[in-house]
Amino acid sequence: MSRICAGRVVVVTGAGRGLGRAHALAFAAAGAKVVVNDLGVGLDGTPGADGPARRMAVDSPARQVVDEIRAAGGEAIAHGGDIATSAGAASLVAAALETYGRLDTLVNNAGFLRDRMLVNLDEDDWDAVVRVHLKGHFLPLKHAAAHWRAEAKAGRTPVARVVNTSSGAGLLGSVGQANYSAAKAGIVALTLVAAAELARYGVQVNAIAPAARTRMTERTFAESMAAPDAGFDAMAPENVSPLVVWLGSPASEGVTGRVFEAEGGRITVMEGWKAGPSVDKGARWTPEGTPR
């Protein structure tokens, strides 16, 4: 990979495993200094062997990724804060600024699953998933945007980039994933609003809807996510990262407010809702007269 992010400082949330890890390694290979955020929780967001009590330990997922980056000659630091809290999100941005003196790209990726059919979905499971995915995108974006706005107002307009992580479930829905689908759909809307609001400050905001093998997909879609015995591994998370690195680099100038599906070697620009057939009566409709 070319060093198209040389000199840039990149924050990646949920970067201890899966897609986040692949993104962090790819940004480092492209010349970026990386802040690797990961809370170290289990697949459902509950503390486990890698839980919060030891999330900054030398063998935590975030630290392991930092070690990989440094072993390859790159620069990185670990951050173990909860980015779905204002304090955690603020400390994430502060970590980049205090360590490297700048922030150029934010990749929002952190999340977990608590799948249930709708009638069996507990309120706590709804709140937890919406919190980590949607609030966990909003708060880092809010704090990063505040920094970039201040820079722009001081006459130092940044070349800033945000890459949010939605999902095919957010674009089309997914049975058994009402909480996850709703949160991922919300991320698309958040992306569109942020792209419009932050353009004046030199910030571009896009979203990806990736299909890849991660802890969240390898169980739910075990057969389709299985690695092949030989040949191209279409579901490897590393296939998604080149798009994310490009979107997070100056090379993506002019691309904002877009959603990209990424799977294997295929990248698709999604075009969202479009108006279908319409009829204008020129007056109020009655229920009986509404067109079928």
Side-chain angles (χ1 to χ4, degrees):
M1 184 181 293
S2 66
R3 295 177 67 82
I4 63 172
C5 286
R8 291 178 72 79
V9 175
V10 177
V11 166
V12 185
T13 70
R17 304 180 182 87
L19 283 165
R21 171 183 173 275
H23 300 340
L25 294 173
F27 271 109
K33 302 175 179 67
V34 185
V35 179
V36 179
N37 164 266
D38 199 277
L39 196 57
V41 296
L43 179 61
D44 63 353
T46 56
D50 301 319
R54 56 185 294 279
R55 63 188 177 221
M56 292 304 290
V58 294
D59 58 344
S60 70
R63 289 296 182 102
Q64 290 174 5
V65 175
V66 167
D67 289 345
E68 285 187 74
I69 290 172
R70 291 177 177 174
E75 295 185 54
I77 60 168
H79 179 270
D82 182 356
I83 46 80
T85 68
S86 187
S91 72
L92 178 63
V93 172
L97 298 177
E98 292 168 5
T99 305
Y100 298 120
R102 60 186 297 131
L103 173 61
D104 301 289
T105 298
L106 167 65
V107 179
N108 284 315
N109 169 78
F112 55 73
L113 294 177
R114 294 190 185 180
D115 292 352
R116 299 284 190 280
M117 298 300 285
L118 190 60
V119 296
N120 297 320
L121 182 60
D122 292 336
E123 184 177 355
D124 288 346
D125 291 334
W126 173 277
D127 289 345
V129 169
V130 171
R131 175 185 181 274
V132 70
H133 287 279
L134 190 51
K135 192 175 181 182
H137 272 60
F138 159 64
L139 287 172
L141 175 56
K142 171 185 168 69
H143 287 283
H147 165 69
W148 288 324
R149 181 181 65 173
E151 288 291 286
K153 288 187 172 182
R156 299 183 296 270
T157 301
V159 181
R161 304 287 187 263
V162 178
V163 184
N164 292 329
T165 306
S166 183
S167 168
L171 302 178
L172 301 172
S174 179
V175 172
Q177 295 187 311
N179 47 4
Y180 178 75
S181 297
K184 289 303 192 183
I187 287 167
V188 172
L190 176 64
T191 298
L192 299 179
V193 172
E197 290 188 2
L198 302 180
R200 72 188 72 179
Y201 306 124
V203 184
Q204 293 182 183
V205 187
N206 293 285
I208 60 167
R213 184 174 54 254
T214 69
R215 287 195 304 168
M216 293 198 301
T217 61
E218 63 185 355
R219 295 182 186 179
T220 306
F221 308 105
E223 185 175 345
S224 61
M225 290 293 164
D229 294 330
F232 178 51
D233 183 359
M235 290 296 107
E238 291 79 8
N239 298 333
V240 178
S241 298
L243 170 63
V244 176
V245 171
W246 180 79
L247 288 171
S249 78
S252 63
E253 178 65 30
V255 179
T256 193
R258 306 307 298 263
V259 179
F260 299 84
E261 272 197 336
E263 177 181 346
R266 177 175 58 84
I267 296 172
T268 304
V269 180
M270 306 304 289
E271 296 186 341
W273 290 98
K274 292 183 177 180
S278 65
V279 178
D280 185 355
K281 183 179 179 181
R284 183 182 302 135
W285 291 90
T286 64
E288 296 79 9
T290 302
R292 301 295 190 267

